[in-house]
Amino acid sequence: MTETRTIDQSSAVLEVHTGVAGRSARLGHRLVLAPGTWRADIGVDGDQPVSIAVTVDARSLEVVSGEGGLTPLSAPERTVATANAQRSLKTKTNPAIEYRSTSVAASENGFRVQGELTICGAVRSCDFALVYEEAEPAPVLATAVPVRQSDFGIKPFSLMMGTLQVADEVTVIARATV
């Protein structure tokens, strides 16, 4: 019998880590964005996950930190970077980012997940490893999934006539205690 377990921002971590690119990359900040509202519904048969469905409110994404750059990332810069990210994601017309698994299979140290990711209305295949990590007070399941913005029709944000830009590939990090 399959039961559904739900996790969200109150019990797990979901982050997007960006990089910088361009001739002036050393001037830019590597940002961490986190959604304020998201949920993952995991279909479980016994102790084995059989399906994963994640919905992120893209409008709730905000820059929570930044590293690098010539100076530390200030609060006003965080606000501007958040607005730029939401504009790049076209959150007014595409308020949700969704992931739906098509298969979940046990692997040596966790699970192999295959499915489809929807961003800005574009649907692309997205497969990743979900691995067990030892942690206190309990083990966690974690993943780091590279996502190319251009695959979803997103033009990475840029400044200074394109010499400083957000790298096309971002990494989505998720961690949940099990």
Side-chain angles (χ1 to χ4, degrees), residues 3 19 29-30 34 40 54 86 96 116 123-124 132 140 159 161 171:
E3 71 175 88
H29 295 95
R30 294 177 307 282
V54 180
Q86 291 188 4
E116 294 182 331
V123 180
R124 301 289 178 264
Y132 282 107
V140 297
L159 292 167
M161 301 185 70
T171 303

Side-chain angles (χ1 to χ4, degrees), residues 95-108:
I97 297 170
E98 298 179 326
Y99 180 82
R100 301 286 178 261
S101 67
T102 53
S103 72
V104 180
S107 66
E108 184 177 321

Side-chain angles (χ1 to χ4, degrees), residues 87-173:
R87 195 170 16 264
S88 293
L89 289 168
K90 303 173 188 120
T91 60
K92 287 183 180 177
T93 56
N94 299 287
I97 297 170
E98 298 179 326
Y99 180 82
R100 301 286 178 261
S101 67
T102 53
S103 72
V104 180
S107 66
E108 184 177 321
N109 60 343
F111 303 93
R112 186 79 196 144
V113 182
Q114 296 179 317
E116 294 182 331
L117 178 61
T118 305
I119 303 174
C120 292
V123 180
R124 301 289 178 264
S125 175
C126 181
D127 305 341
F128 58 90
L130 194 54
V131 297
Y132 282 107
E133 294 178 355
E134 290 302 318
E136 292 297 326
V140 297
L141 275 172
T143 191
V145 182
V147 176
R148 275 200 330 253
Q149 298 179 75
S150 58
D151 288 349
F152 295 88
I154 300 167
K155 183 176 188 244
F157 181 77
S158 68
L159 292 167
M160 301 174 3
M161 301 185 70
T163 63
L164 175 60
Q165 52 195 238
V166 173
D168 188 21
E169 186 173 283
V170 300
T171 303
V172 177
I173 307 265

Side-chain angles (χ1 to χ4, degrees), residues 46-104:
D47 286 339
Q48 299 297 309
V50 294
S51 66
I52 299 173
V54 180
T55 302
V56 175
D57 180 352
R59 299 165 299 187
S60 74
L61 270 173
E62 63 180 62
V63 174
V64 294
S65 67
E67 293 182 357
L70 293 178
T71 60
L73 186 66
S74 67
E77 288 172 318
R78 259 196 320 274
T79 301
V80 169
T82 295
N84 290 334
Q86 291 188 4
R87 195 170 16 264
S88 293
L89 289 168
K90 303 173 188 120
T91 60
K92 287 183 180 177
T93 56
N94 299 287
I97 297 170
E98 298 179 326
Y99 180 82
R100 301 286 178 261
S101 67
T102 53
S103 72
V104 180

